[in-house]
Amino acid sequence: MPIAPTNSKTRKDLQHCLLLGLFLVVAYLPLSSLLFAVKNDALTENFPPKYFFSAALRAGHWPLWNPYMNFGLPMYADPGFAFWHPLTWLFGALGYNIWTLSVEILVYIWLGGIFMYFLGRYLCHSRRTAFVMAAMFMCCGFFVGNLSHTNFLTCAAFLPLVIHTFLGLQQGPTPKRLFFAAASLYLLISGGHPAIPIGTIYFLAALVAGLALTNTKPGELKKLAATNLLLLLSVLGLTAPIWLSWLQVWPYFTRAAPIVQQHYTGAGFSLTSWSSFVFPFATMAENHFFSTANSMRSGYFSFIGFGLLLFTLVHKKNRLQSIFLISGALLLVLSTDGVKTLVYSHLPLLRFIRHNGEYRIFALCAFIIVISWPLESLLRQNDTAINRYLPKMITTFFLLGLIALLAGGGIMLYQHIPLLPPSTGGFLLRIKHLLDILPPAEALTIAAAILLTLTGAWLLLRRRIRPALLIPGIILIDLILSCWLLLPVTGVQRQSPADMQALLPHVAPGIPLPTLEPLAQNDRPGLEKIIGRWSYYTKQPGTPVRGDYPVLFQETKSYFQSP
């Protein structure tokens, strides 16, 4: 079979990347339609520094110091703001508002999908398999569940790129491979959230250990150590401005000391949340059974993906599968709620981590890589073991969905839960409201009904549509439905971007001279939990009440606590 010309291959890959963008728009329709705005931390904590950054940059000022956040904050040294990231400067130059914030979030998720697609191609998978891998990554429970944590996503989107360039470097160090590996780590580290880079250190350390333990060639261990030492030094040099800026002001921040881990429980991916691997929507309802924030409860990447992961556990694996499976499992354990209080206080850097549930992104990324080989075999129909396993897997999930449907429906009847609780507003607002207030039994019933429908579709169509089309189709539909159900609960609010933009004060562009109004006028307490402190936007320095921004000077805290 003749090999297609390079330009033809590039054109096909570009087409698949554009299709990923189209798929993203459909899957994230509650956000991409711009009918609903993002909520919570995305507006109260992540947007205010972007708003100032853009205003200063477009007015011709270096946005190094923000005078409007608690009497002043050094933007260049804010660990929670991606000051050193090139995309921040791009969107800052375009102009930040509530609409561009939504677009920026979608761009980062799309980039994550593109990087996963090319990682799949690097692993010698077909474009169809690589596309499904990318869709799984973009729509996994981390991105959907933590949509309001913008700076989580801006780091995690580059994880597949880091893995891709890291694996390439392990094949043999060259200046080009070293540059791309270091540059990809720079993009992840500068994403504006130190917890993900810290987790990346542990994840890559697990991969290096796996490569070392499975390498039997003489002299390879020294080469492996030298290669990664060179990578470490290159990354430290490339990110030196970031570390130096942080270290310059770190002693003055309130978060400079390790936290008491017992005070920050309930922010992990609890064992009960593992049920989200099959029933993601069932974990979203307010329920003390899960004992953790609902943004940390979803680990979904399609029920077929989870089924293929179970297949991989008990069947022969190649070297990379074994390494990623173990590395992903280790990070999944680190993301678990109960483990945090036991080990985080004793491990370097993890002593500063508050929300360990975000570390499930490493497990999900690793698991998607692990299942890519059986998925490829399934789509190519060239492995008898996976072909025999598929009907059993689908039938098992069908029965599991049936049991869950009967259980959820039975609880609803027993507790006299109405099928459709009362709601007001337009059609879309009513749906959003219903998803917000659904009781656990009804959420389980809906999740079970979706699983039954998708598995039933396979049972009906498996002899009419070949697996290479049917399996990807079911996975993509599954991911879309999961996003549509979860995003109204975890990521978007009932108000539109236009409604949120209307709350922002009409002030002069750029950085105007302050009018020296009384501090009492620079406050709107009712908006603090919607868009953050009023003083973040008025371009009047000073506030009568301390803003609840994560980065805070010790002296600022002392000032507001003083008489």
Side-chain angles (χ1 to χ4, degrees):
M1 180 178 178
I3 300 176
T6 303
N7 60 346
S8 176
K9 291 183 178 180
T10 304
R11 191 182 305 114
K12 289 182 179 179
D13 287 330
L14 178 60
Q15 290 172 352
H16 280 74
C17 291
L18 294 176
L19 285 175
L20 279 174
L22 178 61
F23 173 78
L24 176 70
V25 169
V26 175
Y28 280 77
L29 200 59
L31 179 66
S32 63
S33 64
L34 300 180
L35 293 174
F36 301 102
V38 290
K39 63 179 180 179
N40 297 341
D41 289 7
L43 287 182
T44 60
E45 296 181 0
N46 301 141
F47 180 68
K50 295 176 183 290
Y51 177 85
F52 162 78
F53 182 90
S54 180
L57 190 63
R58 288 164 63 85
H61 298 287
W62 284 107
L64 300 176
W65 177 266
N66 186 344
Y68 310 124
M69 302 188 75
N70 293 325
F71 288 96
L73 188 71
M75 300 304 297
Y76 70 94
D78 181 357
F81 177 59
F83 179 89
W84 298 94
H85 202 284
L87 282 180
T88 302
W89 289 77
L90 174 61
F91 277 94
L94 293 174
Y96 269 113
N97 54 45
I98 304 298
W99 291 282
T100 54
L101 177 65
S102 299
V103 173
E104 182 192 31
I105 292 172
L106 291 170
V107 166
Y108 273 103
I109 299 174
W110 184 30
L111 286 174
I114 291 173
F115 296 143
M116 179 60 81
Y117 172 84
F118 282 106
L119 175 58
R121 296 292 290 151
Y122 171 79
L123 297 174
C124 300
H125 295 316
S126 66
R127 291 184 176 86
R128 185 168 297 174
T129 299
F131 186 93
V132 174
M133 291 172 63
M136 286 181 176
F137 186 70
M138 292 192 304
C139 298
C140 73
F142 173 83
F143 285 102
V144 177
N146 293 104
L147 191 73
S148 62
H149 302 123
T150 308
N151 52 3
F152 287 18
L153 313 186
T154 53
C155 292
F158 296 93
L159 183 57
L161 178 64
V162 167
I163 295 172
H164 183 174
T165 56
F166 176 79
L167 292 178
L169 182 65
Q170 307 311 307
Q171 290 183 336
T174 65
K176 182 178 179 180
R177 289 174 179 173
L178 180 63
F179 170 78
F180 282 115
S184 64
L185 279 165
Y186 174 87
L187 291 172
L188 185 146
I189 292 169
S190 62
H193 189 57
I196 297 292
I198 291 173
T200 302
I201 295 174
Y202 280 86
F203 184 64
L204 293 183
L207 293 182
V208 170
L211 292 171
L213 292 173
T214 57
N215 200 324
T216 58
K217 296 180 181 179
E220 287 296 316
L221 291 183
K222 289 185 178 180
K223 182 180 177 182
L224 182 68
T227 297
N228 289 288
L229 178 60
L230 189 60
L231 174 62
L232 176 61
L233 294 175
S234 301
V235 173
L236 288 176
L238 197 59
T239 58
I242 303 175
W243 303 119
L244 292 175
S245 65
W246 288 358
L247 291 173
Q248 182 183 16
V249 296
W250 186 254
Y252 307 103
F253 282 152
T254 56
R255 291 192 176 186
I259 67 171
V260 180
Q261 296 295 337
Q262 289 78 2
H263 294 170
Y264 292 93
T265 58
F269 185 56
S270 63
L271 289 176
T272 50
S273 296
W274 288 22
S275 60
S276 65
F277 287 129
V278 181
F279 300 112
F281 186 58
T283 66
M284 289 299 104
E286 289 299 327
N287 192 332
H288 296 296
F289 176 72
F290 296 103
S291 69
T292 187
N294 66 1
S295 63
M296 304 291 177
R297 293 179 191 170
S298 180
Y300 200 62
F301 59 105
S302 83
F303 74 90
I304 290 180
F306 181 66
L308 294 178
L309 180 65
L310 298 179
F311 170 84
T312 307
L313 290 175
V314 297
H315 285 78
K316 186 178 180 180
K317 294 171 279 293
N318 62 44
R319 182 189 179 205
L320 277 181
Q321 276 183 298
S322 299
I323 292 173
F324 277 101
L325 182 61
I326 295 173
S327 300
L330 288 175
L331 269 295
L332 183 64
V333 170
L334 281 181
S335 73
T336 304
D337 198 40
V339 173
K340 187 170 184 282
T341 55
L342 297 176
V343 303
Y344 273 53
S345 297
H346 309 289
L347 293 175
L349 299 177
L350 292 183
R351 296 179 298 166
F352 297 94
I353 301 302
R354 283 169 164 77
H355 302 94
N356 64 314
E358 62 190 285
Y359 283 170
R360 71 192 189 279
I361 182 56
F362 297 98
L364 294 174
C365 186
F367 293 161
I368 291 171
I369 294 171
V370 168
I371 68 161
S372 63
W373 282 275
L375 178 62
E376 177 80 0
S377 297
L378 189 61
L379 299 185
R380 289 184 180 274
Q381 291 288 284
N382 59 0
D383 187 329
T384 55
I386 190 65
N387 290 337
R388 289 197 303 267
Y389 173 78
L390 181 63
K392 297 176 183 177
M393 177 188 77
I394 298 292
T395 303
T396 300
F397 280 126
F398 179 84
L399 294 175
L400 191 61
L402 183 60
I403 293 171
L405 183 68
L406 294 174
I411 294 173
M412 289 176 60
L413 291 174
Y414 178 76
Q415 296 181 349
H416 303 289
I417 299 174
L419 186 62
L420 290 176
S423 179
T424 58
F427 178 71
L428 293 177
L429 286 177
R430 292 184 66 185
I431 292 177
K432 170 74 172 69
H433 176 73
L434 292 175
L435 293 176
D436 281 337
I437 65 172
L438 280 179
E442 194 159 345
L444 176 62
T445 303
I446 292 174
I450 292 175
L451 184 61
L452 270 177
T453 301
L454 294 173
T455 52
W458 183 87
L459 293 171
L460 290 174
L461 301 174
R462 58 176 176 166
R463 301 188 186 281
R464 302 179 183 180
I465 303 176
R466 56 194 180 96
L469 293 176
L470 181 59
I471 295 300
I474 289 178
I475 291 175
L476 297 181
I477 293 173
D478 180 22
L479 294 172
I480 290 173
L481 293 176
S482 174
C483 286
W484 286 359
L485 285 174
L486 295 181
L487 284 173
V489 180
T490 63
V492 298
Q493 57 177 296
R494 300 180 195 177
Q495 303 300 318
S496 69
D499 294 331
M500 291 296 100
Q501 189 68 31
L503 296 176
L504 302 184
H506 295 287
V507 294
I511 309 297
L513 290 174
T515 57
L516 299 181
E517 297 175 356
L519 290 184
Q521 296 184 18
N522 202 24
D523 189 30
R524 298 287 190 279
L527 296 177
E528 182 175 6
K529 294 184 178 181
I530 301 175
I531 57 173
R533 298 300 307 179
W534 184 250
S535 59
Y536 296 166
Y537 305 100
T538 60
K539 297 181 181 176
Q540 287 289 114
T543 173
V545 181
R546 176 171 62 86
D548 189 23
Y549 189 71
V551 178
L552 187 70
F553 282 129
Q554 295 173 3
E555 292 300 321
T556 306
K557 185 175 182 180
S558 300
Y559 168 77
F560 280 104
Q561 291 177 344
S562 68

